[in-house]
Amino acid sequence: HVQLVESGGDSVQIGGSLRLSCVVSGRDTSSKYSLGWFRQAAGKEREGVAVIDRDGSTQYSDSAKGRFTISQDNSKTTTWLQMNNLKLDDTAMYYCAAEGDTVVAGSVLSEERYTYWGKGTQVTVS
């Protein structure tokens, strides 16, 4: 039973920083799969923010480039999203997501690629 649990969300001032964590359990640590961070602001669609692809490469949305960094421990148990210089538009519920065993076509930043989802952690910037 695969579970993803996010933590680290908080209220922060404009220009501040936060580090989100995602802990994955129930997944074979030797398997290769993409893991990403997504967010959904009130009244908006969910969007991809940052992803570590199967080959270890990283991809970021335009809004995240230069400010956010995704990283992962060697066991792929924990994935972090370091967010710096936070802006009002970063206010959202942030979700961690992992691919299933079968690769779905499309951008790694597309939520359709992902099978397993956490319940989210709220980030509020004011």
Side-chain angles (χ1 to χ4, degrees):
H1 177 58
V2 179
Q3 283 191 310
L4 286 74
V5 179
E6 306 94 335
S7 62
D10 204 345
S11 296
V12 64
Q13 291 186 337
I14 295 172
S17 297
L18 279 176
R19 188 174 82 154
L20 306 183
S21 299
C22 171
V23 176
V24 180
S25 60
R27 195 73 194 266
D28 181 359
T29 57
S30 65
S31 64
K32 294 185 177 181
Y33 57 91
S34 297
L35 192 144
W37 284 96
F38 292 75
R39 69 185 183 187
Q40 187 168 22
K44 294 187 178 181
E45 293 185 353
R46 190 155 54 186
E47 62 174 351
V49 176
V51 169
I52 293 181
D53 207 345
R54 289 176 169 239
D55 61 2
S57 62
T58 57
Q59 291 196 39
Y60 297 90
S61 66
D62 287 342
S63 62
K65 285 177 184 175
R67 300 188 300 126
F68 295 2
T69 303
I70 188 170
S71 61
Q72 194 174 63
D73 67 357
N74 289 336
S75 66
K76 292 192 284 188
T77 300
T78 305
T79 301
W80 299 277
L81 183 67
Q82 177 67 41
M83 305 187 295
N84 298 326
N85 190 22
L86 284 163
K87 305 176 180 180
L88 290 174
D89 288 347
D90 296 319
T91 294
M93 183 71 78
Y94 283 71
Y95 299 90
C96 178
E99 273 186 329
D101 294 328
T102 302
V103 177
V104 176
S107 167
V108 290
L109 287 171
S110 172
E111 62 178 305
E112 285 75 22
R113 286 271 301 247
Y114 298 84
T115 301
Y116 306 106
W117 292 83
K119 294 183 179 181
T121 186
Q122 177 68 38
V123 172
T124 302
V125 184
S126 62

